[in-house]
Amino acid sequence: YYGDKRGLLQEVISRGLGRISVAAREALSAPASLEASVRSFVGVLFDFSANNRDLLRIIEDAFRTRELGSFDVTQDALSALAGPLLVALRRNIEGGQRAGIVRSDISVESLILLGFGAIMYRFDLAESLLLAMGFPERKDVDLRAEREHAIQYVLAAMRPQPR
């Protein structure tokens, strides 16, 4: 028993974000190459987004409505659990830029923002918007193939461009 809605929300968000936090931290610390790092981290983010759509809606709703209780709980959990991951991700990308294996004509912030958006919003808003605009409905989505496509998409975006 959690006492109130705030306690329940805290538990739901902390558990959900705790799972991705551990998996993503392992993904960022293990691989040595750009491809291995991207493959591991994007895979974790993709799988989390695919399997936790309801949690992502709760988080998005908290930020959209800015209702005091849910916003504070969500922001605190994200700061504690995802904040350190962003620091590590940023450090990895900056190191890749210095080494010349990650493109430097796009800022670290943009690479992170656009990469996250391409993966997370695919499971939330993108599919609905495309359907509304007349994009054909996809009947049998192969998430394993799409996961690989997301990895290749992010890798292509991060690699230095030929001059």
Side-chain angles (χ1 to χ4, degrees):
Y1 182 70
Y2 299 100
D4 60 9
K5 287 181 1 184
R6 182 182 176 94
L8 176 60
L9 179 64
Q10 252 174 328
E11 184 65 22
V12 166
I13 290 176
S14 293
R15 277 190 193 182
L17 292 178
R19 287 190 304 269
I20 190 173
S21 178
V22 169
R25 199 170 25 251
E26 290 172 3
L28 286 174
S29 64
S33 69
L34 172 66
E35 182 159 350
S37 294
V38 168
R39 182 167 293 286
S40 185
F41 188 79
V42 169
V44 165
L45 186 60
F46 186 93
D47 293 344
F48 177 81
S49 298
N51 295 315
N52 293 280
R53 294 178 195 197
D54 290 337
L55 177 62
L56 293 175
R57 284 187 195 105
I58 290 169
I59 291 170
E60 182 183 13
D61 185 61
F63 279 89
R64 185 178 38 253
T65 62
R66 301 255 179 194
E67 190 268 310
L68 191 57
S70 63
F71 177 76
D72 290 345
V73 167
T74 304
Q75 185 157 359
D76 290 348
L78 284 168
S79 294
L81 297 167
L85 291 174
L86 286 179
V87 170
L89 181 59
R90 180 191 235 333
R91 193 171 35 244
N92 285 4
I93 293 171
E94 287 171 341
Q97 285 179 328
R98 282 191 301 276
I101 58 172
V102 173
R103 65 189 304 164
S104 57
D105 61 325
I106 298 177
S107 71
V108 173
E109 294 80 8
S110 289
L111 287 171
I112 292 171
L113 177 68
L114 296 171
F116 266 73
I119 297 162
M120 297 187 86
Y121 279 98
R122 175 267 174 258
F123 292 102
D124 182 28
L125 194 56
E127 207 163 77
S128 299
L129 282 175
L130 288 172
L131 283 172
M133 292 186 280
F135 194 75
E137 184 175 355
R138 300 175 332 143
K139 299 279 186 226
D140 298 313
V141 178
D142 181 353
L143 285 179
R144 275 186 276 158
E146 199 167 301
R147 181 183 197 264
E148 181 61 27
H149 298 161
I151 290 167
Q152 294 303 321
Y153 182 83
V154 172
L155 275 170
M158 292 183 76
R159 287 190 178 114
Q161 302 300 297
R163 296 191 185 245

